[in-house]
Amino acid sequence: MHLPDRIERKILLKAPRSQVWRALANAEIFGQWFGVNLKGKRFVAGVRTQGQITYPGYEHLVWDVMVERVEPERVFSFRWHPYAVEPKIDYSQETETRVQFELEDMNGGTLLKVVESGFNGIPEARRLKAFRMDSRGWDEQMANIEEFLSKA
């Protein structure tokens, strides 16, 4: 079975671009809706950011990303190891996927587009599982940021 190399999600958020940007680019706020403790952390291009995952069932894991681009109110991207959930496995030699968030104004709100790409570089033994879990995960995270912003 041939898997696509990317996952794409779009959601129209009823919030101004500046507010959506803050929820993405402010690490502490990002962690609140994404499910990671990033208290005291910042997202800086070229710097790794790590935090304890707070999502139920995954609290034993550390969220670890390499921030790539931080273009205010436009693009935020990072690289990570998708679905790296086995504490005994060293994922460091694997290729990371890129997660890119893009913002654009639309219909009085903000269109948030998320693209995770590079799944073809993931070892075949875990590619399908990583793709499926992240695909489901992005559905959930889009609902999370929408709910977070509706209460902000």
Side-chain angles (χ1 to χ4, degrees):
M1 177 174 96
H2 180 72
L3 274 179
D5 188 46
R6 61 202 293 132
I7 296 168
E8 289 191 37
R9 294 291 180 272
K10 287 181 185 172
I11 187 169
L12 182 58
L13 298 164
K14 293 175 180 65
R17 191 194 290 218
S18 58
Q19 199 179 358
V20 176
W21 176 253
R22 200 163 164 259
L24 288 173
N26 179 307
E28 291 191 20
I29 296 172
F30 178 94
Q32 289 171 25
W33 63 267
F34 201 85
V36 186
N37 180 357
L38 295 173
K39 198 154 179 53
K41 304 287 174 108
R42 293 176 61 227
F43 289 141
V44 179
V47 178
R48 289 204 92 80
T49 302
Q50 296 164 317
Q52 205 65 38
I53 293 178
T54 58
Y55 190 85
Y58 296 93
E59 300 96 338
H60 61 289
L61 298 170
V62 171
W63 188 78
D64 179 13
V65 302
M66 171 54 86
V67 178
E68 276 196 332
R69 287 169 70 188
V70 183
E71 294 176 26
E73 300 195 17
R74 228 180 65 79
V75 178
F76 172 57
S77 71
F78 57 75
R79 292 185 158 279
W80 70 357
H81 294 290
Y83 201 61
V85 297
E86 293 299 327
K88 292 179 181 73
I89 294 178
D90 174 14
Y91 297 97
S92 66
Q93 299 310 303
E94 286 187 12
T95 305
E96 293 175 308
T97 55
R98 171 186 286 121
V99 173
Q100 182 159 300
F101 299 89
E102 290 178 36
L103 302 181
E104 83 184 63
D105 296 326
M106 186 175 279
N107 303 335
T110 305
L111 181 69
L112 170 61
K113 182 176 162 191
V114 181
V115 176
E116 182 174 2
S117 58
F119 283 93
N120 289 345
I122 303 303
E124 202 170 331
R126 61 179 225 91
R127 190 179 304 155
L128 177 62
K129 180 84 169 169
F131 186 87
R132 280 189 178 148
M133 295 308 284
D134 278 24
S135 189
R136 194 179 308 156
W138 287 118
D139 290 339
E140 229 171 88
Q141 294 296 10
M142 293 296 94
N144 289 348
I145 192 170
E146 183 175 40
E147 184 184 353
F148 178 85
L149 288 167
S150 73
K151 292 174 179 168

